Amino acid sequence: PMIRGIHHVAVSTPNLERIVAFYCDVMGAEQVYDGGWEKGSDIIDQIVGLKGSSCKQAMLKLHNAYLEFFEYQTPTPEPKDPAYPPNNHGYTHFCIDVVDIDAEYERLTKAGVKFNIAPPDFEGGDIRATYGRDPDGNIIEIQEILNEDHAFYLDAGK
């Protein structure tokens, strides 16, 4: 197949500086690009499907994948409800794979991440996970896969 895998997830933010600081300082990402574009690029307008677009942009490397953030200046974005429910259509969350979920839950909680529940034990015991929210209200899941033979384990197929 020609598809090699998912490269990045892109998220629109009302505050690029705040969200980059969160993902770098709290989540351990590395900023690898800082840019954007000014209003008047017909090519970019055609790519993104907007007229008169302009934004600030950052690309962050988070271990095995990238997160891209856009702070659009034009056209004026409509705010997203920071308490949106995960059952709404569209992207619901992205998941961060961790090694010690209890330690990460405590660390992230102290850093201001609001979780729905402490990571519970599931029947079967192969995965522990919980949902929280970043400073913009985007849902992030933290998960720990306890069984290296589980199909979802990042090194599956070894």
Side-chain angles (χ1 to χ4, degrees):
M2 299 292 285
I3 295 174
R4 297 182 345 150
I6 294 174
H7 181 270
H8 67 269
V9 174
V11 180
S12 179
T13 179
N15 187 326
L16 188 67
E17 186 176 303
R18 179 186 66 190
I19 205 73
V20 167
F22 172 78
Y23 281 97
C24 290
D25 299 344
V26 176
M27 302 302 279
E30 172 192 0
Q31 185 169 349
V32 296
Y33 176 77
D34 180 21
W37 62 89
E38 296 295 322
K39 196 172 179 180
S41 172
D42 290 336
I43 295 294
I44 292 178
D45 282 357
Q46 289 175 40
I47 291 170
V48 300
L50 296 169
K51 291 207 182 284
S53 69
S54 66
C55 83
K56 296 188 292 184
Q57 171 188 17
M59 181 75 79
L60 311 180
K61 186 172 195 280
L62 187 60
H63 305 288
N64 67 324
Y66 293 84
L67 295 172
E68 185 175 31
F69 292 97
F70 296 97
E71 182 182 333
Y72 277 89
Q73 278 77 52
T74 56
T76 303
E78 292 182 20
K80 182 176 184 176
D81 176 0
Y84 72 95
N87 62 319
N88 280 0
H89 295 170
Y91 295 105
T92 64
H93 72 276
F94 58 88
C95 179
I96 306 294
D97 195 62
V98 302
V99 174
D100 182 342
I101 195 166
D102 293 315
E104 282 302 294
Y105 171 80
E106 291 300 325
R107 186 182 73 79
L108 294 172
T109 297
K110 286 178 184 165
V113 176
K114 305 286 188 232
F115 288 95
N116 295 332
I117 186 175
D121 292 318
F122 291 104
E123 189 175 329
D126 285 348
I127 297 175
R128 294 183 66 213
T130 190
Y131 281 13
R133 294 191 187 252
D134 73 13
D136 285 350
N138 298 302
I139 298 171
I140 52 176
E141 176 184 10
I142 57 170
Q143 77 171 12
E144 181 178 7
I145 299 175
L146 304 169
N147 178 354
E148 291 184 11
D149 294 324
H150 194 281
F152 294 170
Y153 193 75
L154 275 180
D155 293 330
K158 54 188 181 302

